[in-house]
Each structure stands twice: as C-alpha cells, then as structure tokens.
C-alpha cells in the first residue's frame, strides 16, 4: 500500500485510505448552514478569479455528502450563456452531457443526480473548464476522491491535456499543505480553490 508522508503534521505516516476515511468523516460532521456558507465563499472566489472567461464549455458536478455545492455557480454561468455539462457514469466510464436547467438532472449512479444522454461534451467542442470535487487535495494539485478513479480516467483520456483546465474545489481543511499522496494513476489538477484560499500549479 502506498504511504503518504506528512512533513508538517504530528502523524508520521498516513495512507490514502486513512486520509479518505478521516476527511470523509470530518466533512460528514458539517451542518447544512456551514456547507452553504463555505460553498458561497468558494463561489465568490470562482467569479472573482473569472476562470470561465476563456471557456465557453464548463464541466460541473452534482454535490453529494456535503460536497461543495455548485448550484450558485451554475446559475451565474447560465446567465453568461455558457454551455454547461454534468457527468454521467456508465460502468467504469464517465462522460459529460449538456444541461440547460438543474431540473434536467435525475438521480442516477451512486444516487448522484445525472443528466440525460443528450449532447455530450467532446474535445471537438472546444476547450473547457472543469470543476472537480474531492475528499482531499494537495498543494501540488493531486486529489483523493472516493477511490473509483472516474476523474483520473476522464482527464487522462484527452490527447491534449490543455484541452481542459481542471480545478478542484473543497473546504479549507481538505487542502493538505506539505503532503504528497499521488500515485502513477493520478492526474494532477491545475489548481485548487477553498473557502479561504486558492492554489494554482505552475507548469
């Protein structure tokens, strides 16, 4: 099992499984108001940074289990006439399909709201900004999700990685500075935004 080495913590070693379990529990203890307030702070950072300025295609996600809620950002992007896509899972494959209203999302795989299979996003549609959920993020751009690998496989499928700018969003306790927990299958993000700070990865 791969070991995570902490440079700034009292813990000497912690595995990805242990990090996933610890932060999943910590996030589950958040109240509705806390999640809403911190999600709003992240939304304000997203619009202040104007990350969508160079992208007509935006790949979002439906929040579950106290994840950062993206509904407010969806409303902002719709008003700017952006093309917005949400993920849909089939087997081990994740694809993104266009959504014009949140009412178009229905409960699907893993009890996550998913879009109908209408217009799928492809590289031919132009560059996209992807907002990525996670349980933990490092300040070097790596993330820990639920262990299914959907986002890593999706990002690695692009022939040109610069087709998609992938930015993780999480609460500040989920951004673990001074840690490294990537392995050979992980695909780094371009940045991470929390309710208190943002980190972008230099190429």
């Amino acid at each position: 099992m791969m070991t995570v080495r902490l440079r700034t913590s009292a813990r000497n070693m912690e595995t990805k499984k242990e990090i996933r379990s610890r932060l999943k529990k910590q996030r589950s203890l958040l109240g509705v108001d806390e999640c809403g307030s911190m999600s709003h702070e992240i939304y304000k950072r997203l619009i202040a940074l104007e990350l969508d300025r160079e992208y007509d295609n935006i790949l979002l996600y439906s929040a579950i289990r106290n994840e950062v809620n993206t509904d407010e950002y969806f409303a902002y992007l719709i008003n700017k006439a952006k093309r917005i896509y949400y993920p849909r899972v089939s087997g081990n494959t994740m694809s993104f399909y266009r959504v014009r209203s949140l009412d178009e999302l229905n409960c699907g795989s893993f009890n996550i709201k998913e879009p109908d299979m209408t217009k799928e996003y492809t590289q031919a549609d132009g560059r996209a900004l992807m907002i990525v959920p996670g349980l933990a993020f490092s300040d070097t751009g790596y993330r820990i999700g639920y262990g299914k690998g959907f986002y890593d496989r999706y990002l690695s499928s692009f022939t040109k990685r610069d087709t998609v700018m992938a930015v993780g969003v999480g609460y500040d306790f989920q951004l673990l500075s001074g840690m490294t927990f990537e392995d050979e299958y992980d695909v780094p993000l371009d940045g991470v935004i929390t309710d208190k700070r943002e980190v972008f990865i230099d190429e």
Side-chain angles (χ1 to χ4, degrees), residues 77-117:
L77 295 167
I78 281 290
N79 286 333
K80 295 184 71 176
K82 301 291 184 178
R83 295 189 292 270
I84 307 174
Y85 302 78
Y86 279 74
R88 183 182 178 93
V89 170
S90 177
N92 290 321
T93 302
M94 181 176 71
S95 301
F96 282 78
Y97 294 90
R98 186 157 181 195
V99 170
R100 294 174 173 81
S101 166
L102 294 178
D103 292 335
E104 297 176 10
L105 298 171
N106 299 295
C107 193
S109 301
F110 309 106
N111 291 319
I112 301 172
K113 289 186 176 181
E114 295 183 333
D116 293 329
M117 297 175 66

mmCIF file of all heavy atoms in Angstrom, residues 77-117:
data_model
loop_
_atom_site.group_PDB
_atom_site.id
_atom_site.type_symbol
_atom_site.label_atom_id
_atom_site.label_comp_id
_atom_site.label_asym_id
_atom_site.label_seq_id
_atom_site.Cartn_x
_atom_site.Cartn_y
_atom_site.Cartn_z
ATOM 1 N N LEU A 77 -23.263 30.983 -14.440
ATOM 2 C CA LEU A 77 -22.769 30.613 -15.772
ATOM 3 C C LEU A 77 -23.884 30.604 -16.813
ATOM 4 O O LEU A 77 -23.674 31.004 -17.962
ATOM 5 C CB LEU A 77 -22.098 29.239 -15.710
ATOM 6 C CG LEU A 77 -20.821 29.169 -14.863
ATOM 7 C CD1 LEU A 77 -20.430 27.714 -14.625
ATOM 8 C CD2 LEU A 77 -19.681 29.935 -15.533
ATOM 9 N N ILE A 78 -25.071 30.147 -16.423
ATOM 10 C CA ILE A 78 -26.213 30.145 -17.344
ATOM 11 C C ILE A 78 -26.526 31.570 -17.781
ATOM 12 O O ILE A 78 -26.824 31.840 -18.956
ATOM 13 C CB ILE A 78 -27.450 29.495 -16.678
ATOM 14 C CG1 ILE A 78 -27.322 27.976 -16.719
ATOM 15 C CG2 ILE A 78 -28.740 29.935 -17.346
ATOM 16 C CD1 ILE A 78 -27.450 27.358 -18.105
ATOM 17 N N ASN A 79 -26.456 32.508 -16.846
ATOM 18 C CA ASN A 79 -26.711 33.905 -17.169
ATOM 19 C C ASN A 79 -25.660 34.486 -18.104
ATOM 20 O O ASN A 79 -25.896 35.513 -18.765
ATOM 21 C CB ASN A 79 -26.780 34.750 -15.889
ATOM 22 C CG ASN A 79 -28.058 34.516 -15.123
ATOM 23 O OD1 ASN A 79 -29.082 34.152 -15.699
ATOM 24 N ND2 ASN A 79 -28.017 34.712 -13.808
ATOM 25 N N LYS A 80 -24.507 33.847 -18.188
ATOM 26 C CA LYS A 80 -23.451 34.278 -19.096
ATOM 27 C C LYS A 80 -23.462 33.480 -20.399
ATOM 28 O O LYS A 80 -22.543 33.578 -21.207
ATOM 29 C CB LYS A 80 -22.084 34.137 -18.417
ATOM 30 C CG LYS A 80 -21.904 35.058 -17.217
ATOM 31 C CD LYS A 80 -20.516 34.967 -16.643
ATOM 32 C CE LYS A 80 -19.480 35.601 -17.552
ATOM 33 N NZ LYS A 80 -18.130 35.608 -16.943
ATOM 34 N N ALA A 81 -24.512 32.683 -20.580
ATOM 35 C CA ALA A 81 -24.721 31.901 -21.807
ATOM 36 C C ALA A 81 -23.608 30.879 -22.045
ATOM 37 O O ALA A 81 -23.253 30.585 -23.199
ATOM 38 C CB ALA A 81 -24.863 32.829 -23.012
ATOM 39 N N LYS A 82 -23.064 30.329 -20.967
ATOM 40 C CA LYS A 82 -22.071 29.265 -21.104
ATOM 41 C C LYS A 82 -22.755 27.935 -21.396
ATOM 42 O O LYS A 82 -23.918 27.726 -21.047
ATOM 43 C CB LYS A 82 -21.255 29.139 -19.814
ATOM 44 C CG LYS A 82 -20.506 30.397 -19.409
ATOM 45 C CD LYS A 82 -19.356 30.704 -20.354
ATOM 46 C CE LYS A 82 -18.561 31.914 -19.880
ATOM 47 N NZ LYS A 82 -17.401 32.204 -20.751
ATOM 48 N N ARG A 83 -22.028 27.039 -22.034
ATOM 49 C CA ARG A 83 -22.513 25.673 -22.239
ATOM 50 C C ARG A 83 -22.041 24.838 -21.046
ATOM 51 O O ARG A 83 -20.845 24.705 -20.820
ATOM 52 C CB ARG A 83 -21.975 25.093 -23.555
ATOM 53 C CG ARG A 83 -22.500 25.820 -24.791
ATOM 54 C CD ARG A 83 -22.121 25.089 -26.059
ATOM 55 N NE ARG A 83 -20.679 25.125 -26.300
ATOM 56 C CZ ARG A 83 -20.055 26.068 -26.993
ATOM 57 N NH1 ARG A 83 -20.743 27.078 -27.519
ATOM 58 N NH2 ARG A 83 -18.749 26.013 -27.186
ATOM 59 N N ILE A 84 -22.990 24.278 -20.302
ATOM 60 C CA ILE A 84 -22.659 23.602 -19.055
ATOM 61 C C ILE A 84 -22.973 22.112 -19.171
ATOM 62 O O ILE A 84 -24.014 21.721 -19.704
ATOM 63 C CB ILE A 84 -23.432 24.220 -17.873
ATOM 64 C CG1 ILE A 84 -23.202 25.740 -17.842
ATOM 65 C CG2 ILE A 84 -22.997 23.588 -16.555
ATOM 66 C CD1 ILE A 84 -24.029 26.464 -16.818
ATOM 67 N N TYR A 85 -22.056 21.301 -18.654
ATOM 68 C CA TYR A 85 -22.177 19.848 -18.747
ATOM 69 C C TYR A 85 -22.009 19.220 -17.366
ATOM 70 O O TYR A 85 -21.229 19.702 -16.550
ATOM 71 C CB TYR A 85 -21.108 19.284 -19.690
ATOM 72 C CG TYR A 85 -21.153 19.841 -21.093
ATOM 73 C CD1 TYR A 85 -20.628 21.103 -21.380
ATOM 74 C CD2 TYR A 85 -21.694 19.113 -22.146
ATOM 75 C CE1 TYR A 85 -20.650 21.621 -22.665
ATOM 76 C CE2 TYR A 85 -21.723 19.611 -23.437
ATOM 77 C CZ TYR A 85 -21.203 20.877 -23.693
ATOM 78 O OH TYR A 85 -21.222 21.381 -24.972
ATOM 79 N N TYR A 86 -22.734 18.125 -17.138
ATOM 80 C CA TYR A 86 -22.628 17.373 -15.888
ATOM 81 C C TYR A 86 -22.260 15.923 -16.196
ATOM 82 O O TYR A 86 -22.576 15.409 -17.274
ATOM 83 C CB TYR A 86 -23.952 17.412 -15.124
ATOM 84 C CG TYR A 86 -24.167 18.680 -14.327
ATOM 85 C CD1 TYR A 86 -24.479 19.877 -14.956
ATOM 86 C CD2 TYR A 86 -24.054 18.684 -12.936
ATOM 87 C CE1 TYR A 86 -24.673 21.049 -14.233
ATOM 88 C CE2 TYR A 86 -24.261 19.845 -12.198
ATOM 89 C CZ TYR A 86 -24.553 21.011 -12.851
ATOM 90 O OH TYR A 86 -24.746 22.172 -12.128
ATOM 91 N N PRO A 87 -21.603 15.242 -15.253
ATOM 92 C CA PRO A 87 -21.149 13.868 -15.520
ATOM 93 C C PRO A 87 -22.254 12.829 -15.403
ATOM 94 O O PRO A 87 -23.181 12.966 -14.610
ATOM 95 C CB PRO A 87 -20.078 13.644 -14.439
ATOM 96 C CG PRO A 87 -20.499 14.531 -13.309
ATOM 97 C CD PRO A 87 -21.119 15.743 -13.943
ATOM 98 N N ARG A 88 -22.090 11.798 -16.214
ATOM 99 C CA ARG A 88 -22.962 10.633 -16.159
ATOM 100 C C ARG A 88 -22.063 9.401 -16.218
ATOM 101 O O ARG A 88 -21.158 9.323 -17.063
ATOM 102 C CB ARG A 88 -23.954 10.630 -17.329
ATOM 103 C CG ARG A 88 -24.955 9.486 -17.294
ATOM 104 C CD ARG A 88 -25.872 9.516 -18.504
ATOM 105 N NE ARG A 88 -26.797 8.393 -18.486
ATOM 106 C CZ ARG A 88 -28.018 8.435 -17.967
ATOM 107 N NH1 ARG A 88 -28.469 9.565 -17.444
ATOM 108 N NH2 ARG A 88 -28.802 7.385 -17.984
ATOM 109 N N VAL A 89 -22.295 8.447 -15.323
ATOM 110 C CA VAL A 89 -21.456 7.260 -15.229
ATOM 111 C C VAL A 89 -22.156 6.057 -15.847
ATOM 112 O O VAL A 89 -23.343 5.816 -15.609
ATOM 113 C CB VAL A 89 -21.108 6.964 -13.752
ATOM 114 C CG1 VAL A 89 -20.439 5.601 -13.613
ATOM 115 C CG2 VAL A 89 -20.192 8.055 -13.199
ATOM 116 N N SER A 90 -21.391 5.314 -16.640
ATOM 117 C CA SER A 90 -21.878 4.056 -17.207
ATOM 118 C C SER A 90 -20.757 3.033 -17.050
ATOM 119 O O SER A 90 -19.722 3.140 -17.708
ATOM 120 C CB SER A 90 -22.248 4.230 -18.686
ATOM 121 O OG SER A 90 -22.656 2.998 -19.250
ATOM 122 N N GLY A 91 -20.937 2.074 -16.160
ATOM 123 C CA GLY A 91 -19.870 1.122 -15.876
ATOM 124 C C GLY A 91 -18.691 1.834 -15.236
ATOM 125 O O GLY A 91 -18.830 2.496 -14.207
ATOM 126 N N ASN A 92 -17.529 1.724 -15.868
ATOM 127 C CA ASN A 92 -16.330 2.401 -15.374
ATOM 128 C C ASN A 92 -16.037 3.687 -16.131
ATOM 129 O O ASN A 92 -14.965 4.269 -15.979
ATOM 130 C CB ASN A 92 -15.113 1.469 -15.484
ATOM 131 C CG ASN A 92 -15.195 0.316 -14.500
ATOM 132 O OD1 ASN A 92 -15.627 0.493 -13.362
ATOM 133 N ND2 ASN A 92 -14.792 -0.868 -14.939
ATOM 134 N N THR A 93 -16.993 4.125 -16.942
ATOM 135 C CA THR A 93 -16.777 5.287 -17.800
ATOM 136 C C THR A 93 -17.625 6.471 -17.343
ATOM 137 O O THR A 93 -18.801 6.314 -17.010
ATOM 138 C CB THR A 93 -17.128 4.951 -19.264
ATOM 139 O OG1 THR A 93 -16.319 3.855 -19.694
ATOM 140 C CG2 THR A 93 -16.870 6.155 -20.169
ATOM 141 N N MET A 94 -17.025 7.643 -17.336
ATOM 142 C CA MET A 94 -17.736 8.884 -17.028
ATOM 143 C C MET A 94 -17.694 9.783 -18.250
ATOM 144 O O MET A 94 -16.633 9.989 -18.841
ATOM 145 C CB MET A 94 -17.090 9.590 -15.828
ATOM 146 C CG MET A 94 -17.790 10.882 -15.430
ATOM 147 S SD MET A 94 -17.057 11.644 -13.932
ATOM 148 C CE MET A 94 -15.481 12.220 -14.595
ATOM 149 N N SER A 95 -18.844 10.309 -18.639
ATOM 150 C CA SER A 95 -18.942 11.262 -19.737
ATOM 151 C C SER A 95 -19.747 12.458 -19.257
ATOM 152 O O SER A 95 -20.484 12.371 -18.267
ATOM 153 C CB SER A 95 -19.626 10.622 -20.955
ATOM 154 O OG SER A 95 -18.907 9.482 -21.398
ATOM 155 N N PHE A 96 -19.626 13.578 -19.961
ATOM 156 C CA PHE A 96 -20.333 14.798 -19.576
ATOM 157 C C PHE A 96 -21.357 15.163 -20.641
ATOM 158 O O PHE A 96 -21.063 15.120 -21.843
ATOM 159 C CB PHE A 96 -19.342 15.954 -19.389
ATOM 160 C CG PHE A 96 -18.592 15.903 -18.093
ATOM 161 C CD1 PHE A 96 -17.531 15.029 -17.929
ATOM 162 C CD2 PHE A 96 -18.952 16.708 -17.019
ATOM 163 C CE1 PHE A 96 -16.836 14.960 -16.725
ATOM 164 C CE2 PHE A 96 -18.269 16.654 -15.818
ATOM 165 C CZ PHE A 96 -17.208 15.778 -15.669
ATOM 166 N N TYR A 97 -22.585 15.528 -20.177
ATOM 167 C CA TYR A 97 -23.671 15.863 -21.087
ATOM 168 C C TYR A 97 -24.248 17.232 -20.733
ATOM 169 O O TYR A 97 -24.308 17.617 -19.565
ATOM 170 C CB TYR A 97 -24.769 14.792 -21.021
ATOM 171 C CG TYR A 97 -24.306 13.457 -21.550
ATOM 172 C CD1 TYR A 97 -23.731 12.524 -20.696
ATOM 173 C CD2 TYR A 97 -24.409 13.149 -22.904
ATOM 174 C CE1 TYR A 97 -23.285 11.295 -21.175
ATOM 175 C CE2 TYR A 97 -23.969 11.926 -23.392
ATOM 176 C CZ TYR A 97 -23.403 11.010 -22.532
ATOM 177 O OH TYR A 97 -22.948 9.808 -23.010
ATOM 178 N N ARG A 98 -24.691 17.923 -21.756
ATOM 179 C CA ARG A 98 -25.140 19.311 -21.585
ATOM 180 C C ARG A 98 -26.420 19.395 -20.766
ATOM 181 O O ARG A 98 -27.344 18.595 -20.928
ATOM 182 C CB ARG A 98 -25.355 19.975 -22.950
ATOM 183 C CG ARG A 98 -25.667 21.465 -22.796
ATOM 184 C CD ARG A 98 -25.358 22.235 -24.013
ATOM 185 N NE ARG A 98 -25.639 23.654 -23.809
ATOM 186 C CZ ARG A 98 -25.732 24.531 -24.786
ATOM 187 N NH1 ARG A 98 -25.555 24.147 -26.041
ATOM 188 N NH2 ARG A 98 -25.988 25.796 -24.523
ATOM 189 N N VAL A 99 -26.451 20.406 -19.895
ATOM 190 C CA VAL A 99 -27.606 20.670 -19.036
ATOM 191 C C VAL A 99 -27.949 22.153 -19.145
ATOM 192 O O VAL A 99 -27.082 23.001 -18.995
ATOM 193 C CB VAL A 99 -27.288 20.314 -17.562
ATOM 194 C CG1 VAL A 99 -28.386 20.811 -16.640
ATOM 195 C CG2 VAL A 99 -27.103 18.813 -17.407
ATOM 196 N N ARG A 100 -29.209 22.447 -19.429
ATOM 197 C CA ARG A 100 -29.650 23.842 -19.531
ATOM 198 C C ARG A 100 -30.434 24.296 -18.310
ATOM 199 O O ARG A 100 -30.658 25.473 -18.103
ATOM 200 C CB ARG A 100 -30.483 24.024 -20.806
ATOM 201 C CG ARG A 100 -29.667 23.834 -22.095
ATOM 202 C CD ARG A 100 -30.555 23.889 -23.320
ATOM 203 N NE ARG A 100 -29.790 23.867 -24.557
ATOM 204 C CZ ARG A 100 -29.300 22.765 -25.125
ATOM 205 N NH1 ARG A 100 -29.498 21.579 -24.547
ATOM 206 N NH2 ARG A 100 -28.612 22.830 -26.244
ATOM 207 N N SER A 101 -30.862 23.334 -17.496
ATOM 208 C CA SER A 101 -31.586 23.619 -16.263
ATOM 209 C C SER A 101 -31.283 22.503 -15.271
ATOM 210 O O SER A 101 -31.154 21.333 -15.660
ATOM 211 C CB SER A 101 -33.092 23.686 -16.526
ATOM 212 O OG SER A 101 -33.809 23.640 -15.306
ATOM 213 N N LEU A 102 -31.193 22.851 -13.990
ATOM 214 C CA LEU A 102 -30.947 21.825 -12.977
ATOM 215 C C LEU A 102 -32.099 20.845 -12.869
ATOM 216 O O LEU A 102 -31.938 19.738 -12.347
ATOM 217 C CB LEU A 102 -30.677 22.493 -11.622
ATOM 218 C CG LEU A 102 -29.378 23.316 -11.533
ATOM 219 C CD1 LEU A 102 -29.255 23.967 -10.153
ATOM 220 C CD2 LEU A 102 -28.160 22.456 -11.830
ATOM 221 N N ASP A 103 -33.264 21.228 -13.390
ATOM 222 C CA ASP A 103 -34.416 20.331 -13.394
ATOM 223 C C ASP A 103 -34.199 19.143 -14.334
ATOM 224 O O ASP A 103 -34.937 18.151 -14.262
ATOM 225 C CB ASP A 103 -35.681 21.079 -13.806
ATOM 226 C CG ASP A 103 -36.120 22.092 -12.760
ATOM 227 O OD1 ASP A 103 -35.764 21.898 -11.572
ATOM 228 O OD2 ASP A 103 -36.794 23.072 -13.124
ATOM 229 N N GLU A 104 -33.207 19.244 -15.210
ATOM 230 C CA GLU A 104 -32.909 18.161 -16.148
ATOM 231 C C GLU A 104 -32.093 17.039 -15.497
ATOM 232 O O GLU A 104 -31.882 15.993 -16.110
ATOM 233 C CB GLU A 104 -32.153 18.706 -17.364
ATOM 234 C CG GLU A 104 -32.946 19.712 -18.187
ATOM 235 C CD GLU A 104 -32.126 20.299 -19.315
ATOM 236 O OE1 GLU A 104 -31.012 19.804 -19.574
ATOM 237 O OE2 GLU A 104 -32.591 21.258 -19.948
ATOM 238 N N LEU A 105 -31.636 17.247 -14.272
ATOM 239 C CA LEU A 105 -30.830 16.242 -13.579
ATOM 240 C C LEU A 105 -31.726 15.277 -12.808
ATOM 241 O O LEU A 105 -32.643 15.696 -12.107
ATOM 242 C CB LEU A 105 -29.855 16.927 -12.613
ATOM 243 C CG LEU A 105 -28.822 17.865 -13.247
ATOM 244 C CD1 LEU A 105 -28.074 18.630 -12.167
ATOM 245 C CD2 LEU A 105 -27.847 17.077 -14.122
ATOM 246 N N ASN A 106 -31.449 13.990 -12.944
ATOM 247 C CA ASN A 106 -32.225 12.967 -12.263
ATOM 248 C C ASN A 106 -31.298 12.006 -11.531
ATOM 249 O O ASN A 106 -30.151 11.807 -11.925
ATOM 250 C CB ASN A 106 -33.072 12.181 -13.270
ATOM 251 C CG ASN A 106 -34.064 13.066 -13.997
ATOM 252 O OD1 ASN A 106 -34.977 13.615 -13.387
ATOM 253 N ND2 ASN A 106 -33.888 13.230 -15.307
ATOM 254 N N CYS A 107 -31.784 11.405 -10.469
ATOM 255 C CA CYS A 107 -30.973 10.511 -9.652
ATOM 256 C C CYS A 107 -30.484 9.329 -10.490
ATOM 257 O O CYS A 107 -31.262 8.653 -11.171
ATOM 258 C CB CYS A 107 -31.790 10.006 -8.466
ATOM 259 S SG CYS A 107 -30.792 9.204 -7.201
ATOM 260 N N GLY A 108 -29.150 9.106 -10.445
ATOM 261 C CA GLY A 108 -28.552 8.048 -11.254
ATOM 262 C C GLY A 108 -27.570 7.217 -10.459
ATOM 263 O O GLY A 108 -27.843 6.852 -9.310
ATOM 264 N N SER A 109 -26.406 6.939 -11.048
ATOM 265 C CA SER A 109 -25.392 6.102 -10.420
ATOM 266 C C SER A 109 -24.948 6.670 -9.073
ATOM 267 O O SER A 109 -24.746 7.880 -8.946
ATOM 268 C CB SER A 109 -24.179 5.976 -11.342
ATOM 269 O OG SER A 109 -24.548 5.424 -12.588
ATOM 270 N N PHE A 110 -24.819 5.793 -8.079
ATOM 271 C CA PHE A 110 -24.357 6.170 -6.738
ATOM 272 C C PHE A 110 -25.259 7.231 -6.093
ATOM 273 O O PHE A 110 -24.820 8.012 -5.257
ATOM 274 C CB PHE A 110 -22.910 6.674 -6.784
ATOM 275 C CG PHE A 110 -21.961 5.757 -7.500
ATOM 276 C CD1 PHE A 110 -21.491 6.069 -8.759
ATOM 277 C CD2 PHE A 110 -21.572 4.557 -6.910
ATOM 278 C CE1 PHE A 110 -20.624 5.209 -9.425
ATOM 279 C CE2 PHE A 110 -20.696 3.699 -7.567
ATOM 280 C CZ PHE A 110 -20.225 4.023 -8.834
ATOM 281 N N ASN A 111 -26.539 7.276 -6.532
ATOM 282 C CA ASN A 111 -27.513 8.251 -6.019
ATOM 283 C C ASN A 111 -27.095 9.695 -6.292
ATOM 284 O O ASN A 111 -27.456 10.609 -5.546
ATOM 285 C CB ASN A 111 -27.751 8.047 -4.520
ATOM 286 C CG ASN A 111 -28.495 6.762 -4.228
ATOM 287 O OD1 ASN A 111 -29.440 6.408 -4.939
ATOM 288 N ND2 ASN A 111 -28.073 6.046 -3.205
ATOM 289 N N ILE A 112 -26.335 9.901 -7.346
ATOM 290 C CA ILE A 112 -25.910 11.244 -7.769
ATOM 291 C C ILE A 112 -26.823 11.706 -8.897
ATOM 292 O O ILE A 112 -27.162 10.922 -9.793
ATOM 293 C CB ILE A 112 -24.446 11.233 -8.248
ATOM 294 C CG1 ILE A 112 -23.523 10.738 -7.128
ATOM 295 C CG2 ILE A 112 -24.016 12.620 -8.711
ATOM 296 C CD1 ILE A 112 -22.091 10.508 -7.579
ATOM 297 N N LYS A 113 -27.224 12.950 -8.869
ATOM 298 C CA LYS A 113 -28.052 13.482 -9.946
ATOM 299 C C LYS A 113 -27.245 13.552 -11.244
ATOM 300 O O LYS A 113 -26.137 14.101 -11.273
ATOM 301 C CB LYS A 113 -28.582 14.861 -9.576
ATOM 302 C CG LYS A 113 -29.651 14.822 -8.491
ATOM 303 C CD LYS A 113 -30.245 16.193 -8.258
ATOM 304 C CE LYS A 113 -31.370 16.135 -7.241
ATOM 305 N NZ LYS A 113 -31.971 17.472 -7.012
ATOM 306 N N GLU A 114 -27.809 12.994 -12.300
ATOM 307 C CA GLU A 114 -27.126 12.912 -13.590
ATOM 308 C C GLU A 114 -27.999 13.486 -14.708
ATOM 309 O O GLU A 114 -29.226 13.500 -14.606
ATOM 310 C CB GLU A 114 -26.793 11.458 -13.926
ATOM 311 C CG GLU A 114 -25.795 10.810 -13.001
ATOM 312 C CD GLU A 114 -25.450 9.390 -13.439
ATOM 313 O OE1 GLU A 114 -26.294 8.742 -14.100
ATOM 314 O OE2 GLU A 114 -24.346 8.933 -13.121
ATOM 315 N N PRO A 115 -27.367 13.926 -15.791
ATOM 316 C CA PRO A 115 -28.125 14.441 -16.939
ATOM 317 C C PRO A 115 -28.587 13.315 -17.846
ATOM 318 O O PRO A 115 -28.080 12.186 -17.769
ATOM 319 C CB PRO A 115 -27.095 15.317 -17.653
ATOM 320 C CG PRO A 115 -25.795 14.621 -17.387
ATOM 321 C CD PRO A 115 -25.915 14.059 -15.981
ATOM 322 N N ASP A 116 -29.542 13.623 -18.711
ATOM 323 C CA ASP A 116 -29.914 12.696 -19.765
ATOM 324 C C ASP A 116 -28.784 12.644 -20.792
ATOM 325 O O ASP A 116 -27.959 13.551 -20.878
ATOM 326 C CB ASP A 116 -31.208 13.148 -20.450
ATOM 327 C CG ASP A 116 -32.409 13.053 -19.519
ATOM 328 O OD1 ASP A 116 -32.405 12.165 -18.639
ATOM 329 O OD2 ASP A 116 -33.340 13.866 -19.672
ATOM 330 N N MET A 117 -28.761 11.583 -21.561
ATOM 331 C CA MET A 117 -27.712 11.434 -22.583
ATOM 332 C C MET A 117 -28.119 12.194 -23.840
ATOM 333 O O MET A 117 -28.599 11.623 -24.826
ATOM 334 C CB MET A 117 -27.466 9.956 -22.872
ATOM 335 C CG MET A 117 -26.948 9.185 -21.683
ATOM 336 S SD MET A 117 -26.793 7.402 -21.967
ATOM 337 C CE MET A 117 -25.495 7.359 -23.208
#
